[in-house]
Amino acid sequence: ADQVTEWALRRSQEGLGHEDFVEHLQLLQAWLSPRGVRVGMGMTLTATPAASGYPEVWLLGSSDYSARLAGKLGIRYAYAGHFGQFDPAAVFALYRDSFSPSEGLEAPHAMLCTSALVGATEEEAAYLAGPSTISWINIRRDTREALPSPEESARRIDAMGGVDFSGTKVVGTADQVRSRLEEMVADCEVQELMVLTTAYDVQTRIDTLAALV
């Protein structure tokens, strides 16, 4: 969660600094493992009732620091490429170079998270991606509002004199988007891909994901 959400859950600013992150992550790993958590007086706490299995632990990050940390701890790593500003291929290279085998993972295992939107034509896809661009601008301006329609988004973008970026990373026809995603997976040498679609209406999201299957 982001720091504001963490503050709301904890009702305290204490323990929200980055210097505590590694300790918290290792504590979580202990809770989600058969060994449990060591506490005072030589006692061990484990989840109750006894678990029949344990989930995979992933570190989702958007920086080179998170990639190195995931590698050092020997856990799975997912790069938030849908908003991260680093070169994904370079980030995953850092993860692989930093990787040390662990009890739960013998070799690097990574996932690229990115955003995509499919249209019948390139022009339609760009038009439908307009709301995600406005959303990205709002994030930079710290403005909160419901996602605007493609029509309203186009009007705002025109009023700005146009923009030189898109709030969605991969936009185009189904063939174009599939081809680009395959290139990204190959370049990043990842084992998994997660696609996020930001669109004004649910049907556009469904159509995009269906076109990529």
Side-chain angles (χ1 to χ4, degrees), residues 20-212:
D20 300 309
F21 181 72
V22 175
E23 179 183 351
H24 291 169
L25 179 56
Q26 291 175 325
L27 182 61
L28 176 64
Q29 286 183 279
W31 277 118
L32 298 178
S33 72
R35 66 179 181 276
V37 177
R38 297 286 294 176
V39 294
M41 301 177 63
M43 299 180 65
T44 300
L45 295 178
T46 57
T48 303
S52 58
Y54 299 91
E56 297 177 347
V57 176
W58 288 76
L59 176 56
L60 170 65
S62 58
S63 68
D64 52 357
Y65 167 77
S66 60
R68 290 191 180 95
L69 178 59
K72 179 181 178 181
L73 296 178
I75 60 177
R76 294 166 178 81
Y77 178 66
Y79 177 64
H82 51 298
F83 64 82
Q85 300 302 300
F86 289 81
D87 173 19
V91 171
F92 287 117
L94 284 174
Y95 167 63
R96 291 190 297 272
D97 292 343
S98 305
F99 188 83
S100 295
S102 65
E103 179 182 355
L105 193 63
E106 295 182 355
H109 191 100
M111 175 192 294
L112 171 63
C113 306
T114 192
S115 54
L117 195 144
V118 168
T121 64
E122 290 184 59
E123 293 74 19
E124 181 187 65
Y127 175 72
L128 294 174
S132 68
T133 299
I134 295 298
S135 177
W136 185 248
I137 292 172
N138 284 341
I139 290 174
R140 292 182 175 182
R141 294 176 175 175
D142 195 25
T143 300
R144 309 284 179 174
E145 68 167 344
L147 203 64
S149 67
E151 294 85 354
E152 173 63 15
S153 300
R155 186 192 65 78
R156 294 190 195 181
I157 292 172
D158 286 342
M160 297 175 195
V163 295
D164 59 358
F165 66 92
S166 171
T168 299
K169 297 290 186 178
V170 187
V171 177
T173 65
D175 288 342
Q176 290 173 331
V177 172
R178 276 196 299 266
S179 177
R180 178 58 186 141
L181 291 177
E182 290 171 356
E183 289 176 1
M184 294 170 70
V185 168
D187 291 343
C188 294
E189 299 180 46
V190 294
Q191 288 70 47
E192 301 188 41
L193 173 69
M194 177 185 291
V195 176
L196 167 74
T197 298
T198 300
Y200 179 69
D201 62 289
V202 174
Q203 192 58 51
T204 299
R205 302 178 191 179
I206 293 174
D207 291 345
T208 292
L209 297 178
L212 298 179

